């Protein structure tokens, strides 16, 4: 009884600390050793509990929750390989700066390294992928130990939401018996909460003034916005672009394509434009200011990498180092929105320029060429699926995008609008794993939510669909089924046909209707674009899991993309020849 009292007091204090630090959502996978924490979390009235049986799915579900809410989420599992199954989600959270509080139950010290069942080495299990790790003390009675537990809960949230944000890991050794005492209420006695306040990085006003003085004299400047999802940034960076007279090359994950304050600066077809060698040759800027992570576009990345005598400035509010091309000349650690506001305030008049006019005209030409090619096409192919979806999305909706081809098609075919559509993806490690679960986690906070995903990525995380059934979540999944790994058709591996299908094409030949039915979802297979349009319009009012499958052909998809890009390049080349 004394052990259970100590266990209860200790862990009730820890759970209280999490709540005081702002944790509201907890994802739990079932297990015995994690019982005391799980039961106390379930007993706390301020916590929302989401059960997820498979730990790999649970990790990504928690990641999607945190990504959508922009708040830290706690994640709890039992000891052993259960904790190892969190690893992919922890890696993604680290690279994409998502705050996860990873809590793993463990055997007590006397049962480690002695062959006890379900015991693995969980010390620093996630290595450098977490911002902070601690092996918690065994539960003991007394106010001092309760204060320690509560303080470490608050510290865990502080570390996860610091700069840069990311996952933390707390490992909890528990001795049996594992059942806490829930009556009387273990949360009735609380000390005043320990509060945390993480600040934002700001650049001194003297530095801002110096940059404003220098940059407003530059004619050929570019603002590049990669994946970034910070409230207020979209409006701030567009205001800065107007003052400087620079175009904004806006990645689909920058939240700029669908939160357009003015049509006069956002460029969304740069990926297609920069496939033209003539454009690459003639569009050399003097200055690039980049916000957010690396953009999706490979042509843009190659364009920047091959520039000479360039001022390349990266502004990062997370104080990280996201520059794989090693081209940066200045790294600025400052909150992105505040930086834009402060800089714009130092520039009195907005600037118009021939450089900006040329980018805007090319953007229109590229979009017209894409539209002219795509509109009459009757073929079911992946690019047109995104092209048509973009026109059908309701205002204030969210699109979660799978990696490989879907995110690249989003880059090409999702153009600027004023519908305030939020676009999300797991671009930290760019993996195809856990995408279904992440999207379902996001669906807790975002509705309506559409997931655009390829068949291999869907298969890879098919058990993630259980969350939709268990938690009655609403999600519309557009399944692009080319029966294999379509992205590899665009890579050099495709030139080796002897082993291509075996090693890279990897067709599965699966009927996904059966899987959807197993999870009590609605399934629709479309055979023409009118059927797709009707399915999307019906999806908005549909409750629960809804899967719309579009069968496509990998070879025809590759041919269609290449022909379209060639058309865009011809139009861009003709335009540049005329302006020379």
């Amino acid at each position: 009884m004394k052990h259970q009292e100590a266990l209860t007091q200790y862990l009730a204090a820890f759970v209280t600390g999490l709540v005081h630090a702002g944790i509201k959502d907890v994802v739990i996978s079932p297990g015995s050793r994690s019982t005391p924490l799980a039961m106390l979390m379930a007993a706390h009235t301020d916590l929302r509990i989401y059960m997820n049986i498979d730990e790999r799915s649970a990790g990504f579900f928690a990641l999607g929750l945190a990504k959508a809410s922009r708040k830290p989420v706690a994640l709890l599992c039992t000891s052993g390989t259960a904790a190892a199954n969190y690893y992919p989600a922890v890696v993604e959270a680290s690279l994409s700066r998502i705050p996860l509080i990873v809590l793993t139950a463990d055997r007590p010290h006397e049962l480690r390294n002695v062959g006890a069942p379900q015991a693995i080495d969980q010390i620093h299990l996630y290595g450098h992928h977490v911002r902070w790790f601690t092996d918690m003390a065994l539960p003991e009675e007394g106010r001092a130990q309760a204060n320690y537990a509560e303080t470490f809960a608050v510290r865990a949230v502080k570390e996860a939401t610091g700069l840069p944000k990311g996952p933390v890991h707390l490992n909890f050794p528990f001795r049996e018996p594992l059942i806490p005492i829930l009556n009387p209420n273990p949360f009735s006695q609380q000390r005043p909460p320990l509060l945390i306040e993480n600040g934002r990085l700001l650049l001194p006003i003297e530095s801002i003034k110096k940059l404003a003085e220098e940059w407003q004299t530059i004619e050929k400047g570019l603002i590049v916005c990669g994946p970034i999802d910070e409230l207020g940034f979209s409006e701030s960076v567009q205001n800065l672009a107007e003052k400087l007279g620079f175009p904004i090359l806006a990645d689909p994950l920058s939240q700029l394509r669908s939160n357009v304050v003015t049509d006069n600066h956002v460029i969304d077809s740069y990926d297609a434009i920069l496939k033209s060698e003539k454009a690459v040759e003639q569009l050399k800027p003097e200055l690039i200011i980049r916000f957010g992570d690396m953009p999706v576009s490979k042509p843009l990345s190659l364009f920047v990498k091959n520039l000479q005598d360039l001022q390349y400035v990266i502004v990062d509010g997370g104080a990280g180092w996201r520059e794989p091309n090693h081209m940066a000349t200045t790294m600025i650690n400052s909150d992105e929105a505040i930086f834009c506001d402060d800089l714009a305030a130092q520039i009195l008049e907005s600037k118009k320029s021939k450089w900006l006019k040329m980018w805007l005209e090319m953007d229109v030409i590229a979009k017209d060429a894409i539209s002219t090619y795509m509109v009459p096409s009757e073929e079911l192919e992946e690019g047109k699926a995104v092209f048509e979806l973009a026109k059908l999305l309701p205002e204030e909706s969210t699109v979660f995008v799978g990696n490989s081809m879907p995110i690249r098609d989003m880059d090409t075919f999702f153009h600027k609008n004023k519908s305030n559509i939020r676009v999300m993806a797991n671009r930290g490690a760019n993996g195809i794993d856990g995408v279904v679960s992440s999207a379902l986690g996001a669906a807790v906070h975002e509705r309506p939510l559409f997931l655009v995903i390829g068949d291999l990525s869907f298969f890879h995380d098919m058990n993630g669909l259980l969350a939709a059934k268990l938690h009655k979540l609403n999600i519309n999944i557009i399944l692009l089924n080319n029966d294999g790994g379509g992205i590899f058709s665009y890579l050099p591996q495709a030139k080796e046909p002897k082993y291509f299908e075996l090693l890279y094409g990897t067709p599965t030949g699966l009927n996904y209707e059966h899987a959807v039915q197993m999870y009590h979802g609605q399934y629709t297979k479309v055979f023409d674009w009118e059927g797709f349009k009707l399915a999307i319009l019906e999806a908005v009012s549909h409750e629960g899991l809804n899967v719309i499958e579009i069968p496509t052909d990998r070879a025809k998809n590759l041919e269609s993309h290449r022909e379209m890009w060639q058309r865009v390049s011809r139009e861009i080349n003709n335009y540049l020849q005329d302006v020379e």
Side-chain angles (χ1 to χ4, degrees):
M1 190 66 174
K2 219 171 184 185
H3 165 76
Q4 286 176 285
E5 289 174 354
L7 179 74
T8 303
Q9 183 187 31
Y10 177 87
L11 292 180
F14 181 82
V15 173
T16 297
L18 290 180
V19 172
H20 284 165
I23 297 294
K24 294 185 182 299
D25 294 324
V26 180
V27 180
I28 301 175
S29 294
S32 177
R33 189 61 54 167
S34 54
T35 292
L37 254 181
M39 292 185 71
L40 284 163
M41 286 174 157
H44 201 293
T45 56
D46 291 339
L47 292 176
R48 294 184 291 258
I49 304 299
Y50 299 91
M51 292 302 299
N52 199 308
I53 294 169
D54 173 58
E55 285 82 10
R56 187 175 73 171
S57 174
F60 281 104
F61 185 84
L63 185 140
L65 269 171
K67 189 186 288 276
S69 67
R70 300 186 180 93
K71 296 182 184 300
V73 171
L75 182 61
L76 171 66
C77 73
T78 190
S79 63
T81 56
N85 278 290
Y86 282 164
Y87 209 111
V90 170
V91 170
E92 176 62 29
S94 179
L95 293 173
S96 55
R97 301 180 178 180
I98 304 299
L100 292 183
I101 315 300
V102 182
L103 311 172
T104 57
D106 200 355
R107 293 307 201 245
H109 300 74
E110 67 270 17
L111 293 181
R112 297 178 183 177
N113 302 309
V114 293
Q118 206 172 321
I120 67 171
D121 185 357
Q122 296 177 199
I123 306 303
H124 293 289
L125 179 62
Y126 308 114
H128 296 295
H129 296 292
V130 292
R131 303 290 184 263
W132 180 62
F133 166 79
T134 189
D135 190 27
M136 295 291 287
L138 281 158
E140 294 181 27
E141 63 180 337
R143 189 67 248 172
Q145 284 299 95
N147 288 349
Y148 152 76
E150 184 176 346
T151 300
F152 268 50
V154 175
R155 181 180 175 185
V157 176
K158 176 187 179 297
E159 299 290 349
T161 54
L163 297 175
K165 297 176 183 177
V168 297
H169 176 204
L170 289 81
N171 192 56
F172 283 85
F174 295 136
R175 291 194 179 107
E176 296 179 353
L178 300 168
I179 308 299
I181 300 169
L182 301 182
N183 190 16
N185 182 2
F187 304 108
S188 59
Q189 295 182 347
Q190 296 183 4
R191 66 169 180 161
L194 171 63
L195 302 178
I196 57 173
E197 184 66 42
N198 282 328
R200 298 194 288 182
L201 291 171
L202 303 177
L203 204 63
I205 193 63
E206 293 78 14
S207 300
I208 291 286
K209 287 179 178 179
K210 184 177 179 182
L211 291 174
E213 183 179 343
E214 177 186 351
W215 289 356
Q216 64 185 331
T217 64
I218 292 175
E219 177 76 10
K220 295 182 177 180
L222 288 176
I223 296 175
V224 174
C225 292
I228 184 170
D229 192 4
E230 299 292 337
L231 293 173
F233 171 72
S234 178
E235 294 81 2
S236 296
V237 75
Q238 289 179 76
N239 183 39
L240 175 62
E242 190 168 0
K243 287 293 188 72
L244 290 172
F246 293 172
I248 302 173
L249 309 192
D251 185 271
L253 298 172
S254 68
Q255 315 310 322
L256 277 157
R257 295 193 185 185
S258 194
N259 191 4
V260 179
V261 177
T262 169
D263 289 334
N264 297 331
H265 294 86
V266 174
I267 308 295
D268 53 24
S269 293
Y270 56 85
D271 181 81
I273 293 169
L274 294 175
K275 284 183 170 67
S276 158
E277 292 183 6
K278 195 174 186 69
V280 169
E281 181 61 32
Q282 293 194 20
L283 296 175
K284 295 178 178 178
E286 305 165 66
L287 166 69
I288 291 178
I289 312 165
R290 200 192 89 208
F291 299 92
D293 207 346
M294 286 294 293
V296 170
S297 172
K298 188 171 183 178
L300 175 59
S301 180
L302 291 173
F303 171 67
V304 174
K305 192 173 183 178
N306 292 323
L307 291 171
Q308 303 292 329
D309 301 321
L310 170 75
Q311 285 190 67
Y312 186 20
V313 179
I314 295 176
V315 182
D316 187 352
W321 196 278
R322 301 191 290 195
E323 213 312 68
N325 290 332
H326 312 298
M327 293 287 294
T329 57
T330 306
M331 304 289 281
I332 296 176
N333 293 332
S334 174
D335 178 272
E336 294 89 351
I338 295 175
F339 175 83
C340 291
D341 290 340
D342 288 350
L343 190 63
Q346 297 299 320
I347 303 171
L348 298 180
E349 294 184 6
S350 299
K351 185 171 71 175
K352 303 293 183 183
S353 67
K354 292 180 180 178
W355 168 256
L356 173 61
K357 181 174 180 287
M358 182 168 64
W359 271 99
L360 289 169
E361 288 174 349
M362 285 189 300
D363 196 46
V364 172
I365 290 168
K367 280 203 284 284
D368 285 347
I370 291 170
S371 182
T372 302
Y373 181 81
M374 297 305 296
V375 168
S377 173
E378 296 296 330
E379 191 77 43
L380 286 179
E381 64 108 352
E382 296 155 34
K384 181 150 185 178
V386 175
F387 181 78
E388 293 295 331
L389 177 65
K391 296 185 290 185
L392 299 169
L393 288 169
E395 290 189 4
E396 307 289 332
S397 57
T398 297
V399 181
F400 207 105
V401 191
N403 285 313
S404 295
M405 282 310 298
I407 189 62
R408 288 166 174 81
D409 282 332
M410 201 72 177
D411 200 5
T412 301
F413 299 108
F414 183 73
H415 298 143
K416 60 188 178 184
N417 58 78
K418 295 184 179 180
S419 296
N420 198 27
I421 294 165
R422 189 178 181 187
V423 184
M424 305 170 70
N426 288 345
R427 290 300 291 174
N430 301 355
I432 66 167
D433 51 340
V435 175
V436 172
S437 296
S438 294
L440 281 163
V444 171
H445 296 290
E446 298 286 340
R447 183 178 180 187
L449 187 138
F450 296 81
L451 168 62
V452 182
I453 191 170
D455 58 294
L456 289 189
S457 185
F458 183 76
F459 166 76
H460 207 285
D461 192 27
M462 208 151 52
N463 61 342
L465 295 173
L466 181 61
K469 177 178 177 292
L470 290 181
H471 304 298
K472 296 180 172 56
L473 300 175
N474 300 305
I475 187 170
N476 302 296
I477 300 178
I478 293 89
L479 173 58
L480 305 173
N481 188 356
N482 58 31
D483 197 23
I487 185 68
F488 293 106
S489 298
Y490 295 81
L491 302 179
Q493 291 91 325
K495 296 177 182 178
E496 301 295 334
K498 184 175 180 180
Y499 299 111
F500 182 78
E501 282 298 290
L502 172 67
L503 299 177
Y504 305 105
T506 57
T508 62
L510 294 176
N511 183 345
Y512 291 105
E513 181 177 7
H514 301 310
V516 177
Q517 289 175 347
M518 183 170 68
Y519 294 107
H520 299 183
Q522 177 174 296
Y523 169 86
T524 305
K525 191 171 187 176
V526 301
F527 298 97
D528 54 48
W529 293 116
E530 185 61 29
F532 178 67
K533 179 179 179 180
L534 290 173
I536 294 297
L537 293 176
E538 290 175 5
V540 178
S541 59
H542 180 73
E543 297 287 325
L545 170 64
N546 183 31
V547 177
I548 302 168
E549 181 178 346
I550 305 177
T552 67
D553 183 282
R554 271 186 274 139
K556 290 181 180 179
N557 188 60
L558 174 65
E559 182 182 339
S560 172
H561 277 68
R562 285 181 173 169
E563 185 176 339
M564 180 199 67
W565 288 329
Q566 287 170 2
R567 288 195 184 189
V568 173
S569 291
R570 282 199 299 270
E571 295 297 326
I572 293 297
N573 290 344
N574 290 338
Y575 168 81
L576 289 172
Q577 188 170 339
D578 290 341
V579 298
E580 281 181 343

